[in-house]
Amino acid sequence: MIRQILAVIAGYAIFVVTSLLLFQISGVKPHSDASGLFMVLTFVYGSVFSFLSGLVTQLISRSRNLKINYILFVIIAGFATFSLFKSSGSSWTQLLAIFVFAPVSVLGGYFLIKKKR
């Protein structure tokens, strides 16, 4: 049980820290309008690190099913939904998190399970 909790924390930490780094380094505020090119960059960057977060979650948990990745999915989508309703300004980052990054984190776990078979 402790391993699963740590797995989700590690996976979410990868997602959050890499997201914060992107916006910190670029100087773009996450809830402001951004150029189309930066949105595409964010989509690709976020997808890669969401996949990695799902992969690490699955790797740490050593689970043979995706249950732990679905928990990560709910946490990513849940915090993004909460942020969507609480923040003002542009919502593109939260929508990406809900509809792209959270599902991609499950794919990261699925990839590891399929590779083990």
Side-chain angles (χ1 to χ4, degrees):
M1 178 67 154
I2 297 292
R3 181 180 295 276
Q4 281 78 17
I5 293 169
L6 291 175
V8 172
I9 291 170
Y12 189 69
I14 289 168
F15 174 75
V16 170
V17 169
T18 58
S19 298
L20 292 174
L21 282 173
L22 173 67
F23 289 102
Q24 189 70 32
I25 291 169
S26 69
V28 175
K29 295 185 182 188
H31 304 298
S32 64
D33 290 329
S35 70
L37 179 62
F38 185 76
M39 288 182 183
V40 170
L41 172 69
T42 303
F43 174 87
V44 172
Y45 178 91
S47 295
V48 167
F49 283 103
S50 295
F51 186 88
L52 182 64
S53 71
L55 193 88
V56 168
T57 299
Q58 188 66 36
L59 188 64
I60 292 172
S61 73
R62 295 184 185 169
S63 177
R64 294 182 185 215
N65 60 46
L66 289 174
K67 183 173 24 173
I68 199 76
N69 288 85
Y70 287 123
I71 293 169
L72 179 62
F73 171 96
V74 169
I75 290 171
I76 291 172
F79 278 121
T81 303
F82 178 77
S83 175
L84 179 67
F85 290 118
K86 291 294 181 181
S87 69
S88 60
S90 183
S91 304
W92 67 274
T93 54
Q94 294 100 327
L95 294 173
L96 278 175
I98 295 166
F99 295 110
V100 177
F101 304 150
V104 168
S105 71
V106 175
L107 287 177
Y110 181 76
F111 175 80
L112 193 61
I113 288 173
K114 283 296 184 186
K115 190 173 181 179
K116 286 181 179 179
R117 290 183 184 178

